[in-house]
Amino acid sequence: SKFSVVISKVSTGSYKRQVYEVPSGKQLVDQAVIDRITWATWTSVLGDEVIGIWSRHAEKADVNCACVSHSGINLVTGDDFGMVKLFDFPCPEKFVRTCFCIVTTKNTVAIMVLYCFSRRHMMEISPTLNL
């Protein structure tokens, strides 16, 4: 968390989000307390704040990673389909339209394409591979 008490959030293999105090290891179970936590970082694909990262036909294991920007306003995810997607954070509504970047390689040249539905985000990418 961002202030005073060190809190750790973990996602289990059964897709449950658990919150613990550090270093005591005491699990926090009071949802009202958990809801008031301001997280210093966010790397979880689970929680009400990231419901929108899941597409209509996605399975739980399809989205592998997530990271919130330092400013706390953008969320980037990676999935099993080779997509890197950009969302506003938090993303509490289901099936949110997103910006996404498709990453492919051909020989030693990486080709990256950014497509943005909202047109609120811009990115210039000049990839270089040193193989």
Side-chain angles (χ1 to χ4, degrees):
S1 68
K2 205 170 188 175
F3 303 102
S4 67
V5 178
V6 178
I7 305 289
S8 178
K9 175 176 40 178
V10 297
S11 301
T12 69
S14 60
Y15 299 97
K16 292 186 180 4
R17 182 172 67 162
Q18 298 176 342
V19 179
Y20 295 89
E21 289 183 0
V22 176
S24 72
K26 178 184 171 195
Q27 184 175 0
L28 297 177
V29 292
D30 184 346
Q31 193 60 48
V33 171
I34 294 169
D35 289 344
R36 288 194 308 268
I37 295 172
T38 300
W39 297 100
T41 61
W42 185 288
T43 56
S44 178
V45 297
L46 302 177
D48 292 340
E49 301 86 344
V50 294
I51 288 174
I53 68 173
W54 303 96
S55 66
R56 290 187 191 281
H57 305 291
E59 296 180 12
K60 286 183 179 177
D62 288 347
V63 180
N64 307 111
C65 59
C67 185
V68 171
S69 64
H70 292 291
S71 63
I73 61 172
N74 296 110
L75 172 74
V76 175
T77 64
D79 65 31
D80 282 350
F81 310 106
M83 303 292 283
V84 177
K85 296 180 181 179
L86 177 64
F87 298 89
D88 290 332
F89 184 80
C91 187
E93 297 176 29
K94 288 184 177 183
F95 318 125
V96 172
R97 296 190 86 186
T98 181
C99 298
F100 59 90
C101 180
I102 304 169
V103 182
T104 64
T105 59
K106 184 174 182 179
N107 299 330
T108 59
V109 178
I111 302 164
M112 302 178 88
V113 179
L114 178 71
Y115 186 79
C116 185
F117 290 110
S118 69
R119 300 178 196 253
R120 293 189 308 175
H121 306 283
M122 292 198 54
M123 181 183 297
E124 182 177 332
I125 302 169
S126 301
T128 303
L129 288 180
N130 296 318
L131 300 175

